[in-house]
Amino acid sequence: MLNGIGAPGIILLVILALLLFGPNKLPELGRAVGRTFREFKEGTRDMIADSEPEVKSEAPAPAAQKAPVSLEKRLPE
């Protein structure tokens, strides 16, 4: 999508944004865009985390194959 823009196009977009919004509003717009991306990332992480237990619960490991857990505390020698 942005392959054909290049450096002159980006410079033109920055100048256009400065003219439209002014130098005082650009930091606020940047923060808003950053918050939006952060919320989107958190939402996708939550969706991925919700779907992972379903995959793991389909094939539970048999209890007979688990090694016994030792409750003794070993001291370094």
Side-chain angles (χ1 to χ4, degrees), residues 41-52:
K41 280 174 68 173
E42 288 174 3
T44 54
R45 283 184 192 146
D46 290 342
M47 288 176 62
I48 291 171
D50 289 344
S51 65
E52 283 181 6

Side-chain angles (χ1 to χ4, degrees), residues 29-39:
L29 287 172
R31 278 194 238 39
V33 169
R35 277 189 233 117
T36 302
F37 282 136
R38 192 175 318 122
E39 289 177 13

Side-chain angles (χ1 to χ4, degrees), residues 8-59:
I10 293 175
I11 293 171
L12 182 65
L13 287 174
V14 169
I15 292 171
L16 184 65
L18 278 171
L19 290 174
L20 286 175
F21 301 110
N24 295 332
K25 287 286 183 180
L26 283 181
E28 293 174 24
L29 287 172
R31 278 194 238 39
V33 169
R35 277 189 233 117
T36 302
F37 282 136
R38 192 175 318 122
E39 289 177 13
F40 178 76
K41 280 174 68 173
E42 288 174 3
T44 54
R45 283 184 192 146
D46 290 342
M47 288 176 62
I48 291 171
D50 289 344
S51 65
E52 283 181 6
E54 296 171 5
V55 173
K56 291 180 181 178
S57 65
E58 289 176 3

